[in-house]
Amino acid sequence: MEKRTVKQEMELYLDNCIKQGNNVFEFYYDEDFDNVYLMNINVNSEENEQFIRIPSFVSYVHYSVIADNKKLNSCKIFIPKECEIEWNYGKWETGRKQKFFHSAKEIIIEEGHPQFLYEDGVVFNGNKKELLIYPSNKKDEDYAIPENVTTVGIDAFLNNEHLRRLYIPKKVRKIEPCMFDSRVRINV
């Protein structure tokens, strides 16, 4: 059986969505580079929890597709390892990552993703040197930052009201601003 092209995968996916009446994605296909860009996620309501799995044929998602969509607050979003997140690198790169990961109820990263590592709900950069997100819905009262982490990102523990004790290893040399929500009481 002949392997389908990226464009054929996208067209097949869209045909199935139309038949089932549940298309939540808008795509752009770039013929020059044979890439599919996820342009929008259409969610009907902010109230219902939904699981959204980005198709593996998607090459790129700009961070704003998720970060600027308030209807995704109640959604769990799965990002396949083939899908790269575009940040428009610059001085706001770290802040964009935090906004991206805090925009949904949970963002799940497939194992083997080159940009991120997802471990027990916590998101790290690809080499696990920076802790990016400790999810707000994680219910553990204790957490020990892994020994190889050297940086804790902006808003890393934002809105988590369950965490009471945080263990920070000596290798952590940089803690970005607003690591915690000011309303949370925690022992470090």
Side-chain angles (χ1 to χ4, degrees):
M1 183 174 178
E2 191 174 315
K3 188 175 186 303
R4 289 190 287 257
T5 66
V6 170
K7 185 176 183 180
Q8 289 170 329
E9 287 286 337
M10 179 187 72
E11 289 169 345
L12 180 64
Y13 180 87
L14 289 172
D15 285 345
N16 287 333
C17 287
I18 291 168
K19 288 175 188 169
Q20 297 171 12
N22 65 353
N23 184 25
V24 297
F25 300 116
E26 292 176 23
F27 303 110
Y28 168 74
Y29 176 69
D30 183 340
E31 288 184 48
D32 294 335
F33 296 100
D34 193 34
N35 287 327
V36 174
Y37 294 84
L38 179 60
M39 302 303 291
N40 194 15
I41 300 175
N42 301 306
V43 178
N44 296 331
S45 169
E46 294 177 44
E47 298 169 14
N48 300 332
E49 181 179 313
Q50 296 181 38
F51 182 78
I52 298 172
R53 182 183 186 95
I54 295 175
S56 60
F57 61 79
V58 172
S59 309
Y60 299 99
V61 176
H62 189 272
Y63 89 98
S64 64
V65 168
I66 293 174
D68 295 338
N69 190 338
K70 290 184 180 11
K71 288 187 175 182
L72 298 178
N73 289 339
S74 62
C75 296
K76 292 182 179 182
I77 301 172
F78 178 85
I79 299 176
K81 63 184 174 189
E82 299 86 0
C83 182
E84 185 176 327
I85 308 301
E86 290 187 344
W87 303 107
N88 291 346
Y89 289 104
K91 66 180 183 176
W92 301 111
E93 174 193 350
T94 302
R96 286 181 175 171
K97 287 179 183 176
Q98 303 322 99
K99 186 176 179 186
F100 175 84
F101 283 109
H102 282 298
S103 61
K105 181 174 183 177
E106 184 176 4
I107 293 187
I108 303 163
I109 309 293
E110 184 176 19
E111 187 176 333
H113 195 284
Q115 289 175 290
F116 307 106
L117 177 65
Y118 180 81
E119 191 174 274
D120 193 30
V122 181
V123 180
F124 301 90
N125 68 344
N127 64 10
K128 203 175 174 182
K129 297 285 185 193
E130 181 178 1
L131 188 153
L132 295 171
I133 297 297
Y134 185 91
S136 58
N137 62 346
K138 192 165 175 59
K139 305 226 184 294
D140 299 344
E141 289 189 6
D142 297 305
Y143 182 69
I145 295 175
E147 288 294 324
N148 54 322
V149 171
T150 59
T151 303
V152 178
I154 295 173
D155 297 336
F157 293 87
L158 185 70
N159 296 329
N160 185 298
E161 296 177 6
H162 307 285
L163 192 63
R164 295 291 173 248
R165 288 170 294 283
L166 178 65
Y167 304 95
I168 302 175
K170 291 180 180 179
K171 283 188 179 181
V172 172
R173 296 288 179 231
K174 184 176 183 182
I175 296 177
E176 298 285 357
C178 305
M179 182 172 148
F180 301 105
D181 188 321
S182 60
R183 299 170 297 174
V184 175
R185 301 187 99 207
I186 191 165
N187 295 320
V188 178

